């Protein structure tokens, strides 16, 4: 079960199965799993930290302190080997951090502008769907040259048919005939 914070750290996670619970924070990294389950509002979060905000009122005649800039969002590589027709609902957040508020002024002392928001991060997601893997095997079977080899390949394919996917049901009917 994953649901802890590794905020500010680079994380490379490789697992057979993973369960994401709530928000999973880290700076950047790789999340590669064979199968993924989600609990609650599951989020892989590599968003940037917000910029600093002055906590006091400006008491000078000069403009106050400008708010700090937000940190950039992190880079995230997600590889999910197999996802069913309805993959687990999880979110990815790689937004840049918000700019901090400028120092507040008073009626006699000027305040300041807020900081800039950080740039968003980069997310690359590769998701394998069972029926795509099955269609690849079907293409390989079609390339076989002998009738006996093709029959054996079709027999093996019938056992691997992803029956939970409506889009391949017409193909299933053809193979069963």
């Amino acid at each position: 079960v994953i649901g802890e914070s590794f905020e500010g750290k680079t994380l490379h996670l490789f697992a057979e199965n993973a369960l994401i619970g709530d928000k999973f924070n880290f700076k950047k990294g790789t999340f590669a799993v064979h199968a993924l389950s989600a609990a609650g509002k599951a989020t892989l979060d590599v968003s940037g930290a917000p910029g600093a905000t002055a906590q006091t009122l400006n008491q000078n005649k000069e403009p106050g302190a400008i708010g700090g800039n937000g940190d950039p969002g992190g880079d995230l590589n997600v590889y999910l080997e197999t996802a069913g027709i309805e993959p687990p609902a999880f979110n990815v957040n790689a937004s840049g951090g918000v700019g901090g508020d400028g120092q507040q002024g008073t009626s006699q002392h000027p305040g300041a502008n807020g900081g800039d928001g950080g740039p968003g991060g980069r997310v690359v997601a590769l998701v394998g769907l069972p029926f795509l893997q099955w269609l690849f095997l079907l293409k390989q079977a079609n390339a076989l040259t002998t009738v006996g080899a093709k029959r054996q390949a079709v027999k093996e394919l019938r056992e691997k048919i992803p029956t939970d996917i409506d889009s391949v049901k017409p193909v299933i009917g053809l193979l069963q005939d």
Side-chain angles (χ1 to χ4, degrees), residues 1 16 18 26 30 33 36 41 48 73-74 92 98 144 152 156 160 170 176:
V1 175
E16 196 62 30
F26 51 106
T30 304
V33 296
L36 178 66
K41 288 187 166 189
V92 174
V98 298
L144 297 172
Q152 181 61 34
E156 291 172 11
K160 295 179 181 181
Q176 289 175 340

Side-chain angles (χ1 to χ4, degrees), residues 53-121:
T53 297
Q55 301 298 317
T56 60
L57 289 175
N58 183 19
Q59 299 296 324
N60 300 317
K61 294 189 187 232
E62 315 274 318
I66 295 174
N69 293 335
D71 288 343
D75 293 337
L76 176 63
N77 298 306
V78 177
Y79 174 68
L80 178 56
E81 188 174 343
T82 55
I85 190 70
E86 296 199 21
F90 68 95
N91 300 302
V92 174
N93 183 2
S95 60
V98 298
D101 294 336
Q103 187 175 22
Q104 289 187 348
T106 65
S107 61
Q108 297 175 348
H109 303 98
N113 293 330
D116 294 331

Side-chain angles (χ1 to χ4, degrees), residues 140-151 153:
Q140 286 182 324
N142 188 46
L144 297 172
T145 56
T146 66
V147 173
K150 285 186 179 193
R151 280 189 180 162

